Amino acid sequence: MQSIDTYKFKGKKAIVRVDFNVPLNDKFEITDDTRIRAAIPTLKKVLDEGGSLIIMSHLGRPKGVTEKYSLKHIISRIEELLGVKVKFAPDCMKAGQEAETLKPGEVLLLENLRFYAEEEGKPRGLSETATDEEKKEAKAKLKESQKEFVKKLASYADCYINDAFGTAHRAHASTALIAKYFPNDKMFGYVMEGEIKAIDKVLHNPARPVTAIIGGAKVSSKIGIIEHLFDIVDNMIIGGGMVFTFEKALGGKIGNSICESDQLETARKIMEKAKEKGVRLYLSDEVIAADSFADDAHTQICPSNNIPDGWEGMDAAPATLQTWEKVIMDSKTILWNGPVGVFEFPNFAGGTKKIAEMLALATEKGVFTLVGGGDSVAAVTQMGFADKVSYVSTGGGAMLEYLEGTELPGIKAIKE
Ligand code: AMP
């Protein structure tokens, strides 16, 4: 496997899969350029070493060519951040000429890959009444044209860099299939390297004790990660709305709190498994309950298994946070995924903020702290703690799947 640090880019054309799936407002202005900024070191490395760049990405979930999802909206921001003029290929399948004439130090951005169904390999435009046979046929046809799609993209360059961790869990044309055209010239970019290294630090030989803090609304979306982490962690703190499914499963009274009634058995099994594996499980002892799901609701503190009718648990109460604090401050490795309260409402963001503060303090003391998953990343960023923890994973779904122990197609394609 090649490394971006030692590869000789001089005079080479590098096709780089980045994750420039940034949010745009109604005027097509970028509202958060984190993902573009994250990829700049990789792009600069190629240019500084005398190579040229062909950048490819997806944006949104278009079902075909859609003005709203054109990557032309982000050209000027890439130019600003990279300090280089960016050429644009308005059709990613017709960029042969531009790629051919690209000189060292030059940059070509391909239009949104997902304007072609071949990128994801999912047939489009099938009628709802399509039979299984028709679906199968459409899929087989697309698979054929996908081969041409991948081959074309690969033909533009001498080497391939995957720096799109956010899509590494998808076996798409540009994230996995293309790699086989570069058996000796494929590598991870710095974003990918950083993410893999950070998550591996938790998964393989972590400094102990290891604590996972898992929050969020639903047990169902976190079962995979919770179960896999039982093999790794010493302590698991479960917070947020998920707690009430556990409390209900234990026979508690949870009022109007969010609960997945179809997951009670799962919650029971998770608790049993924790015991089997010797993992200490911490739920919330006390919560801040509200008389409606609103920021200005009336509140009271109550045990999480004895919430009055008409009230619902919204955040972790101080007594709970104190118990958790002891566990957190005694840990050497901490993984945090999911807010421990309805942090979108300032009055119920206290618990999540306190966790962020604890992690910042632990990090200062040399503890390895990894924060990941959409909402916890939003929370630490919003609260100003993003640079006070060891690593913030922007991977979302990819990070969760990696933590679940799945080998991600985008990683496998580079490694094999
Ligand atoms: P997830 O995407 O599963 O990590 O869930 C994140 C969401 O969980 C956020 O929108 C939070 O507002 C929500 N959440 C956290 N705690 C609670 C709670 N006690 N009741 C309802 N929703 C919650």
Side-chain angles (χ1 to χ4, degrees), residues 43-348:
L43 303 179
K44 277 212 165 121
K45 173 76 180 165
V46 175
L47 296 179
D48 290 349
E49 297 289 322
S52 54
L53 286 170
I54 297 146
I55 305 176
M56 56 179 176
S57 177
H58 76 283
L59 176 63
R61 293 182 173 163
K63 294 280 168 274
V65 178
T66 321
E67 163 79 9
K68 186 176 161 193
Y69 295 119
S70 172
L71 282 171
K72 71 180 181 202
H73 304 308
I74 71 165
I75 296 174
S76 57
R77 185 62 61 90
I78 305 173
E79 288 179 334
E80 268 168 45
L81 292 170
L82 203 54
V84 176
K85 182 113 195 73
V86 173
K87 299 179 181 189
F88 184 62
D91 182 337
C92 70
M93 284 293 98
K94 293 186 184 143
Q97 180 68 25
E98 286 104 319
E100 178 83 48
T101 53
L102 208 60
K103 294 191 202 62
E106 289 188 338
V107 182
L108 172 67
L109 172 70
L110 304 183
E111 180 57 290
N112 194 344
L113 298 167
R114 289 195 190 168
F115 282 180
Y116 282 87
E118 281 81 358
E119 164 62 0
E120 294 177 277
K122 274 192 231 142
R124 289 178 183 159
L126 272 172
S127 90
E128 281 186 14
T129 53
T131 62
D132 284 350
E133 197 54 40
E134 283 166 336
K135 283 183 196 159
K136 223 167 120 186
E137 209 173 290
K139 192 138 199 195
K141 213 168 139 199
L142 186 60
K143 214 164 178 138
E144 276 313 301
S145 58
Q146 191 182 44
K147 284 183 193 154
E148 293 309 309
F149 181 82
V150 178
K151 202 166 151 188
K152 185 82 186 181
L153 290 176
S155 74
Y156 299 154
D158 306 302
C159 60
Y160 167 64
I161 303 177
N162 189 352
D163 211 19
F165 184 72
T167 43
H169 57 320
R170 307 278 180 236
H172 292 165
S174 68
T175 60
L177 307 184
I178 191 172
K180 76 165 191 282
Y181 285 93
F182 303 94
N184 301 311
D185 301 277
K186 55 183 180 177
M187 66 212 88
F188 295 127
Y190 291 123
V191 174
M192 282 285 258
E193 272 188 6
E195 293 273 354
I196 294 169
K197 212 167 127 197
I199 305 175
D200 279 352
K201 217 164 159 169
V202 174
L203 292 181
H204 308 298
N205 297 319
R208 297 199 172 274
V210 184
T211 298
I213 307 159
I214 308 291
K218 292 184 172 170
V219 178
S220 53
S221 62
K222 305 279 164 90
I223 306 167
I225 170 176
I226 291 177
E227 292 198 333
H228 187 66
L229 286 175
F230 278 161
D231 289 327
I232 293 149
V233 305
D234 304 287
N235 310 300
M236 184 169 293
I237 291 172
I238 295 198
M242 258 193 331
V243 153
F244 304 103
T245 303
F246 285 89
E247 293 296 1
K248 180 95 188 264
L250 289 167
K253 191 169 170 260
I254 60 164
N256 277 352
S257 305
I258 188 171
C259 174
E260 285 174 287
S261 307
D262 58 343
Q263 297 293 325
L264 298 181
E265 194 45 41
T266 307
R268 270 180 220 119
K269 281 199 183 127
I270 288 176
M271 289 185 280
E272 264 167 39
K273 200 158 178 196
K275 256 191 216 143
E276 252 169 53
K277 301 258 175 187
V279 173
R280 282 180 296 273
L281 199 60
Y282 296 86
L283 301 178
S284 318
D285 306 325
E286 281 188 358
V287 293
I288 301 175
D291 60 356
S292 70
F293 191 78
D295 193 30
D296 59 357
H298 296 108
T299 62
Q300 61 169 308
I301 289 176
C302 42
S304 55
N305 61 0
N306 195 12
I307 298 176
D309 290 341
W311 292 70
E312 58 193 291
M314 300 281 276
D315 196 9
T320 302
L321 290 164
Q322 252 177 25
T323 310
W324 291 354
E325 189 169 16
K326 284 194 200 95
V327 180
I328 290 173
M329 295 326 271
D330 267 347
S331 305
K332 291 277 182 293
T333 304
I334 304 169
L335 163 74
W336 179 23
N337 171 278
V340 298
V342 185
F343 78 102
E344 294 91 338
F345 293 147
N347 285 325
F348 300 102

